Amino acid sequence: LCSQSRAAEPGEAVKKDLQHLSREERRRRRRATAKYRTAHATRERIRVEAFNMAFAELRKLLPTLPPDKKLSKIEILRLAICYISYLNHVLDV
């Protein structure tokens, strides 16, 4: 007779349950899902790899003895600051 009495889709019930929650609580629940955590971990891994590659490139430009000496990130930054200051001094003379 009347075809309007169809079953609600599974996602609609979840949406109705979430509508009464605050924006922050909806965000918190969305972030708690495995899919979100996996995507976030992937993005973070890519970001860290890019960060480490940038440090490696900077390290190649800095003179050290021995040339293959392993430096921490803070040592690379400090050495870069000193090297830039030295180069500025050389250019000014």
Side-chain angles (χ1 to χ4, degrees):
L1 293 143
C2 187
S3 62
Q4 291 180 350
S5 61
R6 63 181 176 92
E9 294 180 28
E12 289 180 27
V14 174
K15 286 180 185 176
K16 287 181 181 178
D17 288 344
L18 294 178
Q19 284 178 347
H20 74 279
L21 299 174
S22 71
R23 181 185 216 173
E24 187 59 35
E25 183 62 24
R26 285 194 305 268
R27 182 179 296 143
R28 193 174 296 120
R29 285 191 182 189
R30 185 176 63 244
R31 289 179 178 172
T33 64
K35 182 179 176 182
Y36 182 90
R37 287 192 308 270
T38 302
H40 178 73
T42 301
R43 286 191 307 271
E44 178 65 8
R45 198 174 310 107
I46 291 167
R47 186 193 70 82
V48 169
E49 285 174 7
F51 187 75
N52 288 337
M53 284 175 45
F55 268 100
E57 289 298 313
L58 178 59
R59 170 65 188 89
K60 289 177 190 175
L61 301 172
L62 301 174
T64 57
L65 290 173
D68 57 345
K69 182 177 186 229
K70 177 77 171 127
L71 298 172
S72 69
K73 290 174 183 162
I74 191 69
E75 289 172 327
I76 292 170
L77 292 175
R78 287 180 177 149
L79 186 56
I81 291 168
C82 290
Y83 190 51
I84 291 168
S85 295
Y86 166 75
L87 293 175
N88 278 330
H89 175 73
V90 168
L91 289 174
D92 289 342
V93 173

